[in-house]
Amino acid sequence: MKRLSLKLKVTLLYSFFMTLLTCAALAILFSLSNQEILASTQNTLKKQVQESMEDIEWKDGSFDVDSDFYNLDGGVYLSLYTESGNLLYGRIPYGFDLNPEFSDSQLQTLTDSSQRWYVFDLAHRISGYGLVYIRGISSVTDAESSFRITIHFAMIVLPLLVVLTAVIGYLFTRRTLGPVRRITETVQEIQTKQDLSRRIELGNGNDEIYQLADTFDQLLDRLEDAFRREQQFTSDVSHELRTPITVILAQCDAALADETLNGEHRQQIELIEKKARNMAQIISQLLLLSRADQGRQKLQMESLNLSELTEMVCEEQSILAEEKQITISTQIEPELYASADETFYIRMLVNLISNAIYYGREGGHIFVSCFRQNGFIAGSVEDDGIGISKEDLPHIWERFYRADTSRSASGHSGLGLSMVKWIVEAHGGTITAESTLGKGTALTFLLPEEKN
């Protein structure tokens, strides 16, 4: 039941209880009906026997029996007996081989090899003749047979009613849960497209689901407003900080150009310049991500030879890798073409390789590969550095995320992989990470290959 949808669960429960209720109602109805049929058969038998007394007269030394005595009204067989038990007139049902003793005004239930019978005897004293017995016989089996037909018919109709109930229940549940499906689809679209402007908008309604949808819409209004204010704040702060950082860097360059500057002061100014350049890089990344969040960062797509670009970036990054005695080796398939933004592709690859260098071990190794894979161009940057724990791995794409002190050294803002993820997804691709703590990390991206 855990994997079934709520719609199907409600339908099954509804069908089960409706079937249970129907079966219980039919069982009670059939039981009462059976008792009613038997009671009706008994009453008809007694009535026919009592009314038959008017059909019998004694005239001129013989019985004058009316023809109505021989009718089978209500399936009742009537017969006239002497006090000693000799049959005078009447009819006995076929198959009735019993010979019960007379019991005045008492209903007897008898059973032979194949049927059950009701027998009712009534003593009647006829003027001029004496005492006679009028016996009425009715078949219980025949009375119940018609009821059995009804039961058989119900057993055929019941499965059809169950199916019909399930279908109606499913349609009703589907219609009832339609707003819930719409809420789910809207939330999924917001999550997939990251579009907080989407709303559920179920319209007017007073039930709990409509109130829930309205609450969601109000929550989304507040989230969108807060998100926009945060984006605007980030953008404004980044713009405002660019000018003082530019001034600081300019003053640092001017101070370092002074040949009279002593060594200690020069070292301090160089440190200030280094930190200012780091801040300038962070501001630049924040501006880019802010424009991306607002949908204002456009890509200049063109047909690019990714093989050549990847080789070029690896050669440039090899110079930085030499400072830590890290070797960069490549395995790049030639003539890999894709529709991409050259600037952002280079920035993505630079971020991946510089990240591998930064967290790589002294004298380590970085392996960069690029090849075709099922209609995509797959690229991978693997290092044998400090690695990432399983707990931290899902969070490395978050902005400013720092796994632990071993990965939070100065100089890295925590925005590089966030930017890489945005660049890859903006090109219609995906990126994944695999890592083992203490052994290294592999970052793999997939970009759609250009169609010829």
Side-chain angles (χ1 to χ4, degrees):
M1 289 288 286
K2 292 183 178 179
R3 296 185 178 181
L4 297 179
S5 64
L6 178 61
K7 180 168 52 182
L8 193 54
K9 288 181 180 178
V10 172
T11 302
L12 290 175
L13 289 175
Y14 170 80
S15 302
F16 172 75
F17 285 111
M18 285 298 296
T19 303
L20 187 63
L21 182 62
T22 302
C23 290
L26 288 176
I28 296 174
L29 180 62
F30 287 159
S31 177
L32 295 176
S33 298
N34 187 49
Q35 296 177 14
E36 183 65 25
I37 289 174
L38 295 180
S40 176
T41 303
Q42 295 173 7
N43 292 333
T44 300
L45 174 60
K46 294 177 181 180
K47 180 181 178 182
Q48 291 295 324
V49 172
Q50 291 170 353
E51 291 179 350
S52 67
M53 291 189 296
E54 300 176 358
D55 299 331
I56 303 171
E57 295 181 357
W58 178 260
K59 289 183 179 181
D60 302 329
S62 63
F63 285 101
D64 182 14
V65 180
D66 193 278
S67 60
D68 290 341
F69 189 81
Y70 296 95
N71 293 338
L72 297 177
D73 293 340
V76 177
Y77 291 81
L78 298 173
S79 53
L80 181 66
Y81 290 87
T82 64
E83 186 178 2
S84 60
N86 295 322
L87 176 64
L88 297 175
Y89 298 95
R91 303 173 64 180
I92 297 175
Y94 177 79
F96 183 78
D97 300 326
L98 303 173
N99 189 22
E101 295 182 359
F102 292 105
S103 180
D104 184 28
S105 300
Q106 296 294 321
L107 181 68
Q108 302 181 67
T109 303
L110 306 176
T111 304
D112 60 15
S113 59
S114 60
Q115 294 194 63
R116 292 173 61 219
W117 307 91
Y118 282 145
V119 177
F120 182 72
D121 297 325
L122 188 63
H124 179 44
R125 187 170 296 279
I126 298 177
S127 178
Y129 178 81
L131 186 65
V132 294
Y133 283 98
I134 301 173
R135 170 167 286 178
I137 303 174
S138 180
S139 174
V140 181
T141 304
D142 291 343
E144 291 178 335
S145 63
S146 59
F147 182 68
R148 291 193 188 97
I149 295 175
T150 304
I151 295 178
H152 293 160
F153 179 74
M155 292 300 102
I156 296 174
V157 174
L158 182 60
L160 298 178
L161 289 176
V162 172
V163 174
L164 182 62
T165 300
V167 171
I168 294 175
Y170 179 81
L171 295 176
F172 176 77
T173 305
R174 181 180 180 182
R175 182 177 180 84
T176 302
L177 295 179
V180 178
R181 183 176 66 254
R182 183 169 174 179
I183 292 173
T184 304
E185 291 174 350
T186 302
V187 173
Q188 288 175 343
E189 287 183 6
I190 293 174
Q191 182 180 5
T192 302
K193 299 180 181 179
Q194 298 183 352
D195 182 10
L196 288 176
S197 65
R198 290 276 299 161
R199 295 293 181 272
I200 300 169
E201 297 179 345
L202 285 184
N204 297 325
N206 297 321
D207 60 31
E208 292 79 1
I209 295 179
Y210 280 84
Q211 294 176 7
L212 175 63
D214 185 60
T215 303
F216 264 121
D217 285 340
Q218 294 179 17
L219 176 63
L220 289 171
D221 286 337
R222 294 183 180 181
L223 286 176
E224 184 182 19
D225 182 62
F227 190 65
R228 285 179 176 174
R229 283 189 278 108
E230 180 185 354
Q231 289 178 335
Q232 189 62 44
F233 174 78
T234 302
S235 179
D236 292 344
V237 168
S238 300
H239 277 291
E240 292 298 325
L241 289 177
R242 294 181 72 178
T243 300
I245 291 298
T246 302
V247 171
I248 292 173
L249 289 173
Q251 292 298 317
C252 287
D253 289 340
L256 292 173
D258 185 0
E259 296 180 356
T260 63
L261 195 65
N262 61 44
E264 182 179 354
H265 289 167
R266 181 177 296 275
Q267 186 177 7
Q268 293 173 348
I269 294 175
E270 287 177 348
L271 179 60
I272 293 173
E273 182 186 30
K274 180 180 179 181
K275 295 299 182 181
R277 293 193 184 280
N278 288 337
M279 289 183 64
Q281 183 181 9
I282 293 174
I283 292 170
S284 176
Q285 292 173 337
L286 282 174
L287 277 174
L288 188 148
L289 292 173
S290 177
R291 287 194 293 266
D293 290 338
Q294 298 172 14
R296 295 188 294 110
Q297 183 62 56
K298 304 299 181 182
L299 301 181
Q300 302 298 323
M301 307 296 283
E302 57 182 319
S303 179
L304 298 177
N305 188 331
L306 298 189
S307 301
E308 295 180 356
L309 282 178
T310 305
E311 288 280 6
M312 179 188 71
V313 172
C314 290
E315 290 177 2
E316 292 177 352
Q317 293 297 307
S318 295
I319 300 174
L320 298 177
E322 289 177 356
E323 297 179 3
K324 294 182 66 174
Q325 298 179 350
I326 293 176
T327 303
I328 298 179
S329 59
T330 62
Q331 184 177 352
I332 301 173
E333 185 177 339
E335 304 301 321
L336 296 176
Y337 285 88
S339 180
D341 184 300
E342 181 175 359
T343 301
F344 280 108
Y345 179 79
I346 293 174
R347 178 177 291 187
M348 175 198 72
L349 208 55
V350 167
N351 282 353
L352 288 176
I353 298 176
S354 62
N355 190 76
I357 295 173
Y358 194 81
Y359 297 114
R361 57 183 176 83
E362 291 281 347
H365 181 267
I366 295 174
F367 178 70
V368 179
S369 62
C370 200
F371 51 91
R372 289 184 180 87
Q373 179 179 303
N374 300 324
F376 289 87
I377 295 177
S380 177
V381 177
E382 303 178 33
D383 66 68
D384 52 4
I386 62 178
I388 309 169
S389 67
K390 292 182 179 180
E391 294 77 14
D392 294 321
L393 193 60
H395 304 287
I396 62 174
W397 313 109
E398 298 173 8
R399 298 174 189 179
F400 298 108
Y401 182 77
R402 298 296 182 92
D404 50 40
T405 55
S406 65
R407 296 184 63 88
S408 58
S410 60
H412 270 228
S413 63
L415 292 172
L417 291 182
S418 298
M419 185 177 298
V420 166
K421 188 173 188 293
W422 175 82
I423 293 173
V424 172
E425 292 179 348
H427 282 79
T430 58
I431 186 167
T432 57
E434 295 179 2
S435 184
T436 302
L437 193 63
K439 294 185 178 180
T441 303
L443 299 173
T444 304
F445 61 86
L446 293 175
L447 299 178
E449 185 180 10
E450 187 178 53
K451 302 298 182 180
N452 295 328

